[in-house]
Amino acid sequence: MVPAEYYLLLSAAMFCIGLFGILTRRNALIFLMSVELMLNAANINLVAFSYQWGNLTGQVFSLFTMALAAAEVAIGIGIILVLYRNFADIDVTKPTTMRW
């Protein structure tokens, strides 16, 4: 049996990697992957605490989070395609020219 602290350490590392990717990169695909890492870190926490306390609530919330992540990817890919079509690049600093 693996202690819950190991799962929390893995989750914290994944969340920090995702946060680093969001804060330092300008590529929209890297943004999308970083958000996915952060959501998966939350899923690990939910499942670890669900296993520790012996109920299924965390696992059910994890399934809802996976559905949210799938919807987020679908919307994100659409936005990335529009960025590429309009600016011929997926750099997120280019669309600032679209501001009023």
Side-chain angles (χ1 to χ4, degrees):
M1 184 167 137
V2 180
E5 291 84 14
Y6 293 156
Y7 292 117
L8 296 179
L9 186 62
L10 173 67
S11 175
M14 283 179 61
F15 192 85
C16 288
I17 291 170
L19 187 64
F20 179 77
I22 286 179
L23 293 177
T24 59
R25 306 290 182 208
R26 291 187 284 181
N27 190 336
L29 286 174
I30 301 295
F31 267 33
L32 201 57
M33 289 190 298
S34 297
V35 169
E36 289 296 319
L37 271 175
M38 293 170 70
L39 285 172
N40 284 330
N43 283 341
I44 290 174
N45 273 337
L46 289 170
V47 171
F49 283 122
S50 173
Y51 179 71
Q52 182 180 3
W53 293 104
N55 59 11
L56 296 176
T57 307
Q59 293 177 10
V60 171
F61 276 116
S62 179
L63 287 174
F64 284 125
T65 308
M66 286 181 201
L68 175 74
E72 178 255 333
V73 166
I75 300 289
I77 293 293
I79 291 171
I80 289 171
L81 288 174
V82 168
L83 275 176
Y84 185 75
R85 186 180 313 147
N86 290 337
F87 296 102
D89 195 12
I90 53 174
D91 187 6
V92 294
T93 58
K94 299 254 177 158
T96 56
T97 59
M98 294 177 66
R99 290 184 184 167
W100 297 42

